[in-house]
Amino acid sequence: MTAELVRGQNHPLSQSRLEIRISAGTPVVTVAALGDEDGRIHGAEWVAHPGAPTRPGLEVSRQAAADHRLAVDLDALADEVHRVGVLLALPAVAGQGPTRFGAVAAPFVAVTGLDGTEVASYTLTGLEAETAVIALELYRRQGAWKVRAVGQGYAGGLAELFTDQALPQAQQLAGHIEEAVTRGLARSVQAPPPRPSESDRSHQAATPARHLDQSADTAPQGAPGPVPPAYGGRPAGSPGQGGPQPAYPGGAEDPSAAAAGGPIDYSHPRRQNAAPPPPPPAAPPAPPGQPAQPVAGDATGWSMEERLYNQVWGMFEDLARTTAAYRSAVDFAESRMDKELEQALSDPRSRVGGQADAAREAARARQAQLVDRAREALDRDLAQLVAEAEVVEPALPPAYARWDNPVWHAYRVPMEIPMALRLGDLRLPEADRIRIPMLLRLPLERGLWIDSGRTDTLDESFTDTHDMRRLAMETAVTHAARLLAVYPAGEFTVHVVDPAGSGAQSLIPLTRSGVLAAPPARGAAGVADVLGRLTQRVDLVQMALRGGVADALPSGFDTSQQLLIVNDFPHGFDDRAVNQLRYLADEGPSVGVHLMMVADREESAGYGPLLDPLWRSLLRLTPVADSHLADPWVGHAWTYEPPLVPPGSQVLRQVLTRVAEARRT
């Protein structure tokens, strides 16, 4: 299955002999740069380009074209080569072609095996003024090769790109490449049209050969590109390889092919020219006067995940603003009615009789009319948001989806960290039928506080202290399970501190699946041990980062993100432990150590102002619906609903079982 990469994402390579296929829609120059372990390019001899298209284990196209195929043999690369960067640039030929990538379709790059099977692909979206871009990077890590989607562009072309890579004589090499490209464009031959089928061949005359002065960018859409060179420098399809014969000098057709009838087929018999992936689906045009039908992922972004993320937060802002407009209209109607009544009753002559009653009725009617108009506008906006939510919710990836979303049935442990995580839903009282996913960016920038005390809950059935503590711990387990599920295997570690063992029942999904780093710590000694190790970890990583020796951490050091779940605070915690918790909350997120407190704020009041900075540094969540979150635009009090697992559902157990299996393998 092809891995569709997004910017910054990587994917392992299981083959050493690869092809890199590029489709740009306009002629581009392809360059491959070799780098050492630090990514440095030591000289021009480390760069394959149209002027020097072959290097050991590497071959690129000899001219600018809309379609390219680069050949890479990872086993044939020198031992000091640890990176292969695939660079794209627009030809710097005055008056020919576009001058920036933002004016053309997004280039598409695919890494395939020798049989044409795609391993990974990447669409370079979001380019604007750039004229050169690092598309992909093949890199070696611990003896294995991977591919990473880079997408870093440069407005100054190849010269600026090489300069940024600290390449000696960057300007001279860029000029040499431009000269080679100019010569290549002057002698380029347009690809022939698609070969007719056998049934149509008898009804069509042979297509005459193209002249040398026809540029490559006038090829008809769908025409196959020039035949790429094979490994070892011999053109694919050359005599002795069993492929189609090449065109003869001067553009004339092969005499044997002409005698057989029909044009020459320049395409490789075992390769297909696949087009870039289609853009996000667009809704059919709406009837006149009707709103457009919503489409999942129609926001801007580098990938579908980012587009959905931006679309969700766009829905959040739309709901906040349309509700603010409705509340403002209602307030205006109320104030206007009060003013009209005050004016009508200010005259003593109109306070008695039917005239006063008529004034009151007229003011109330105008107020009701204004409120009805505001409600009509709100209902219209809510209907559009509800329709959008109905198409967005089923399309969400696991990191954004509710636990009852069918996407969890096909869950697989991911290979990359997602953009964000769903922590629950948000709603407003005027729009009770729509829930907006509450997405939090990853990695976490602050810890979480799950409130186990009495809250201003909208559900009066949960007022018992024991039930609230149990629900709070179950909510913490649900959040931890989702974090484990959206991180790659082994890149997220969970520790639990449960001094009195009161959370044992709620922790069963984590303990039985075996995803915890160690059994929950009990008693004062267990608390001190876990807090001491995590505090030492924060100190060690901070010293390494400040000293610029992040690679000098001890051998076997666990580089995964760490989450500490603290239950029953402050029971079992002394002053030293409290200070360590404050330190982890303040300094931990910057080095990958995160805190999740399950506690009752009122019970912890005995520590006084010592804990105030701790509470302020954490994001407060509740195990039941509660109105305590405010947006930064209009200050609405949003009702937060936790991400509950449906009653009787086994989704949590199934997901954690797959996480544990992925860790073992």
Side-chain angles (χ1 to χ4, degrees), residues 539-551:
D539 290 337
L540 184 62
V541 177
Q542 282 188 338
M543 286 189 295
L545 294 176
R546 290 168 183 169
V549 289
D551 297 334

Side-chain angles (χ1 to χ4, degrees), residues 432-517:
D432 190 63
R433 52 180 172 159
I434 182 173
R435 271 41 172 189
I436 305 296
M438 179 180 174
L439 302 181
L440 188 69
R441 290 298 297 265
L442 292 179
L444 299 175
E445 296 181 357
R446 58 193 298 200
L448 304 177
W449 167 31
I450 314 299
D451 198 340
S452 62
R454 295 174 62 91
T455 62
D456 298 329
T457 175
L458 303 180
D459 189 349
E460 299 297 336
S461 61
F462 297 108
T463 57
D464 183 76
T465 302
H466 177 74
D467 287 342
M468 286 298 298
R469 289 179 176 176
R470 175 183 55 82
L471 287 172
M473 195 60 192
E474 291 178 355
T475 302
V477 170
T478 303
H479 289 309
R482 185 178 286 262
L483 282 164
L484 286 165
V486 303
Y487 271 81
E491 294 194 17
F492 197 84
T493 303
V494 177
H495 309 268
V496 177
V497 168
D498 189 19
S502 61
Q505 186 67 26
S506 301
L507 288 169
I508 285 179
L510 299 179
T511 54
R512 287 186 177 177
S513 60
V515 296
L516 292 180

Side-chain angles (χ1 to χ4, degrees), residues 34-102:
L34 305 176
D36 60 12
E37 193 168 5
D38 297 327
R40 292 182 60 251
I41 306 172
H42 289 262
E45 66 278 5
W46 284 51
V47 180
H49 54 84
T54 58
R55 300 295 183 194
L58 189 63
E59 188 162 2
V60 302
S61 301
R62 290 169 168 79
Q63 63 185 34
D67 295 286
H68 291 277
R69 296 180 189 269
L70 280 63
V72 181
D73 188 350
L74 299 175
D75 291 340
L77 297 175
D79 293 338
E80 59 269 22
V81 174
H82 289 260
R83 300 189 185 186
V84 180
V86 179
L87 321 179
L88 307 180
L90 294 172
V93 180
Q96 296 190 24
T99 58
R100 59 186 182 90
F101 275 109

Side-chain angles (χ1 to χ4, degrees), residues 361-420:
E361 291 298 327
R364 293 191 181 99
R366 282 189 287 269
Q367 183 264 349
Q369 184 179 17
L370 290 175
V371 172
D372 290 342
R373 289 179 182 176
R375 187 69 210 191
E376 181 181 353
L378 176 64
D379 290 341
R380 182 177 61 251
D381 293 340
L382 291 182
Q384 187 69 10
L385 284 172
V386 169
E388 189 172 7
E390 289 176 351
V391 299
V392 168
E393 188 68 44
L396 295 177
Y400 301 174
R402 293 197 301 255
W403 285 112
D404 59 355
N405 194 310
V407 72
W408 289 106
H409 297 315
Y411 167 76
R412 294 292 182 272
V413 178
M415 301 185 66
E416 293 295 329
I417 302 173
M419 283 186 58

Side-chain angles (χ1 to χ4, degrees), residues 13 18-23 28-35 41 46-49 57-61 68-72 74 77 83-89 101 107-112 120 122 124 127 132-139 145-154 158 161-162 165:
L13 298 174
L18 304 166
E19 266 193 353
I20 300 176
R21 176 165 44 85
I22 299 166
S23 178
V28 296
V29 183
T30 57
V31 178
L34 305 176
I41 306 172
W46 284 51
V47 180
H49 54 84
L58 189 63
E59 188 162 2
V60 302
S61 301
H68 291 277
R69 296 180 189 269
L70 280 63
V72 181
L74 299 175
L77 297 175
R83 300 189 185 186
V84 180
V86 179
L87 321 179
L88 307 180
F101 275 109
F108 172 73
V109 186
V111 179
T112 70
Y122 174 41
L124 284 77
L127 299 177
V133 62
I134 304 176
L136 291 179
E137 180 183 61
L138 313 181
Y139 65 98
W145 283 90
K146 294 184 178 182
V147 57
R148 178 189 291 117
V150 181
Q152 181 177 354
Y154 297 85
L158 286 174
L161 189 154
F162 288 146
Q165 300 294 318

